[in-house]
């Protein structure tokens, strides 16, 4: 087979392959030496600046979109990835987002849009009317989670057969999850989110007490069918010093928030206990800080101490009158 090869410039051809040999895709047949070497165009290193292309995906500005994006960044830090440059600004924005009264409404609107037409019209109308009535009262109105829970429970009780209850509960589970997360208000939801981040750190670092080589071998033995999990845990532990900066900032916020953790069954109390029990050298500062926060949060809040003092002062005051019709009053402390 004859195959012509054409060149755009004049020159001398030096064949590399001999006539009659077999050819493979990508083989070099020959080298063309140009009569005028200046005609060759050489590749030059790019010395300019690449344009700003933004994030790989479009991130919205609504509260639920920012919440998902910000928690993703903090979880990446706890997974061992380096996002220290944006850690403090991300944590600050996340706390502001958690304080935003629009956050639960924003999440519920997304869920209702996705479930519209897939749940009974009567139930959908009741939920939307309740949400609209709450928002009509003002921007700072508390999310009506308790009212929504009653609507869901009453609808299931009155309109769903017992044999179909489990299936129906599964259909409305996205609504129920939002209701359960906000049923105690934004403050408890904030504690749950921050506590979840702290728990993730504690659960990972608790696996690496003692010799790291022995712990990695033990994790490999426990997760023979999922070695990617072992790699992820090892990567996370390798960045323990960087993660501790985020955890310390979270503990400072919990302490400054004035939350009380007197209930030993509460989620935050158990998380702080887990952090205080860490024995790694890399987690020593975190464990000490967790004990400090536990002591501080177990003290009564200012409002509680004020109410207690007021009750003590009222109970210590006694009034008595001597003589019938006498106007003299004696007060003792």
């Amino acid at each position: 087979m004859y195959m012509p090869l054409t060149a755009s410039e004049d020159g001398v051809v030096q064949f590399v392959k001999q006539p009659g040999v077999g050819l493979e895709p990508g083989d070099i047949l020959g080298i063309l030496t140009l009569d005028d070497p200046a005609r060759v165009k050489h590749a030059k290193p790019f010395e300019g600046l690449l344009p700003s292309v933004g994030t790989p995906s479009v991130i919205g500005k609504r509260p639920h979109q920012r919440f998902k994006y910000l928690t993703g960044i903090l979880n990446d830090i706890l997974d061992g990835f380096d996002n220290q440059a944006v850690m403090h600004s991300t944590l600050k924005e996340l706390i502001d987002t958690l304080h935003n009264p629009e956050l639960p409404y924003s999440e519920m609107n997304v869920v209702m849009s996705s479930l519209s037409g897939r749940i009974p019209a009567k139930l959908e109308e009741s939920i939307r009317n309740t949400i609209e009535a709450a928002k009509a009262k003002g921007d700072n109105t508390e999310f009506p989670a308790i009212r929504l829970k009653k609507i869901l429970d009453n609808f299931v009780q009155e309109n769903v057969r017992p044999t179909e209850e489990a299936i129906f509960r599964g259909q409305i589970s996205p609504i129920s999850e939002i209701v359960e997360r906000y049923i105690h208000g934004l403050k408890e939801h904030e504690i749950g989110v921050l506590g979840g981040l702290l728990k993730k750190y504690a659960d990972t670092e608790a696996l690496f007490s003692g010799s790291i080589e022995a712990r990695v071998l033990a994790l490999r033995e426990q997760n023979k069918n999922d070695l990617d999990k072992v790699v992820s845990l090892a990567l996370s532990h390798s960045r323990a010093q960087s993660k501790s900066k985020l955890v310390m900032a979270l503990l400072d916020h919990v302490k400054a928030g004035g939350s009380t953790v007197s209930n030993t069954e509460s989620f935050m109390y158990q998380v702080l206990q887990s952090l205080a029990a860490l024995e790694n050298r890399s987690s020593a500062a975190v464990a000490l800080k967790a004990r400090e926060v536990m002591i501080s949060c177990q003290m009564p809040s200012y409002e509680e101490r004020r109410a207690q003092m007021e009750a003590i002062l009222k109970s210590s005051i006694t009034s008595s009158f001597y003589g019938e019709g006498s106007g003299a009053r004696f007060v003792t402390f």
Side-chain angles (χ1 to χ4, degrees), residues 167-187:
I167 299 176
F168 184 77
R169 292 272 185 192
Q171 293 177 346
I172 62 172
S173 60
I175 301 175
S176 301
E177 290 174 2
I178 296 177
V179 169
E180 291 297 331
R181 283 194 284 114
Y182 292 98
I183 198 166
H184 298 296
L186 288 176
K187 184 64 177 179

Side-chain angles (χ1 to χ4, degrees), residues 15 31 44 103 127 171 174 202 271 281 283 298 311 332:
F15 290 100
I31 300 173
K44 297 181 180 180
L103 178 59
I127 294 174
Q171 293 177 346
V271 171
R281 181 179 302 178
S283 304
Q298 285 178 340
T332 58

Side-chain angles (χ1 to χ4, degrees), residues 19-324:
V21 300
L23 300 178
E24 297 291 338
D27 284 349
I28 298 177
L29 303 181
I31 300 173
L32 176 64
T33 303
L34 296 180
D35 294 338
D36 183 8
R39 304 287 292 177
V40 177
K41 296 181 180 180
H42 296 279
K44 297 181 180 180
F46 178 71
E47 298 178 352
L49 296 176
L50 294 175
S52 178
V53 294
T55 56
S57 58
V58 178
I59 301 172
K61 298 296 183 181
R62 295 183 178 180
H64 75 279
Q65 295 169 330
R66 298 304 301 171
F67 171 72
K68 182 178 179 180
Y69 171 68
L70 297 170
T71 51
I73 293 177
L74 297 184
N75 278 299
D76 287 343
I77 294 176
L78 294 176
D79 286 335
F81 298 97
D82 188 8
N83 276 327
Q84 295 297 314
V86 297
M87 185 195 75
H88 291 289
S89 60
T90 300
L91 179 58
K92 183 180 182 302
E93 186 179 354
L94 175 62
I95 292 171
D96 292 340
T97 303
L98 291 172
H99 292 169
N100 189 348
E102 285 293 322
L103 178 59
Y105 292 101
S106 181
E107 291 189 29
M108 185 60 77
N109 286 337
V110 174
V111 170
M112 292 302 297
S113 297
S114 63
L115 294 179
S116 181
R118 297 164 55 190
I119 60 176
K122 180 181 177 181
L123 176 61
E124 180 180 354
E125 183 180 0
S126 299
I127 294 174
R128 291 189 182 277
N129 290 339
T130 302
I131 294 175
E132 292 175 0
K135 292 195 68 174
K137 296 179 181 179
D139 295 336
N140 296 325
T141 304
E142 186 176 353
F143 183 69
I146 298 177
R147 175 60 180 163
L148 291 174
K149 182 175 176 59
K150 291 181 179 179
I151 290 175
L152 295 175
D153 293 340
N154 291 338
F155 186 88
V156 171
Q157 184 177 1
E158 297 173 1
N159 301 276
V160 180
R161 297 176 181 176
T163 56
E164 301 175 352
E165 181 176 346
I167 299 176
F168 184 77
R169 292 272 185 192
Q171 293 177 346
I172 62 172
S173 60
I175 301 175
S176 301
E177 290 174 2
I178 296 177
V179 169
E180 291 297 331
R181 283 194 284 114
Y182 292 98
I183 198 166
H184 298 296
L186 288 176
K187 184 64 177 179
E188 288 297 322
H189 176 254
E190 177 187 356
I191 293 175
V193 172
L194 301 184
L197 295 172
L198 294 173
K199 185 177 185 299
K200 183 173 183 177
Y201 173 88
D203 290 346
T204 302
E205 295 306 310
L207 299 173
F208 292 92
S209 58
S211 171
I212 184 172
E213 292 83 2
R215 298 308 304 163
V216 170
L217 291 175
L219 288 172
R220 286 178 57 187
E221 187 67 22
Q222 297 169 7
N223 301 273
K224 291 182 179 179
N225 298 326
D226 190 8
L227 293 180
D228 288 341
K229 180 180 178 181
V230 180
V231 174
S232 300
L233 292 172
L235 171 64
S236 178
H237 177 67
S238 68
R239 302 291 298 179
Q241 295 294 337
S242 299
K243 294 193 304 179
S244 64
K245 296 179 182 178
L246 171 59
V247 175
M248 296 289 279
L250 289 170
L251 291 173
D252 284 334
H253 176 72
V254 172
K255 180 181 179 182
S259 302
T260 56
V261 194
S262 56
N263 183 10
T264 57
E265 300 297 328
S266 66
F267 175 62
M268 182 58 74
Y269 182 88
Q270 295 177 356
V271 171
L272 292 176
Q273 265 197 331
S274 300
L275 291 173
L278 294 176
E279 299 177 353
N280 297 341
R281 181 179 302 178
S282 58
S283 304
V286 171
L288 182 62
K289 186 69 175 180
R291 295 189 188 99
E292 177 187 340
V293 173
M294 285 183 67
I295 295 173
S296 174
C297 291
Q298 285 178 340
M299 296 178 61
S301 64
Y302 171 77
E303 289 77 10
E304 292 175 341
R305 284 179 286 173
R306 178 180 177 182
Q308 290 175 0
M309 182 59 68
E310 184 177 353
I312 292 172
L313 291 176
K314 287 183 178 179
S315 64
S316 64
I317 297 176
T318 59
S319 301
S320 58
F321 293 87
Y322 295 92
E324 183 177 356

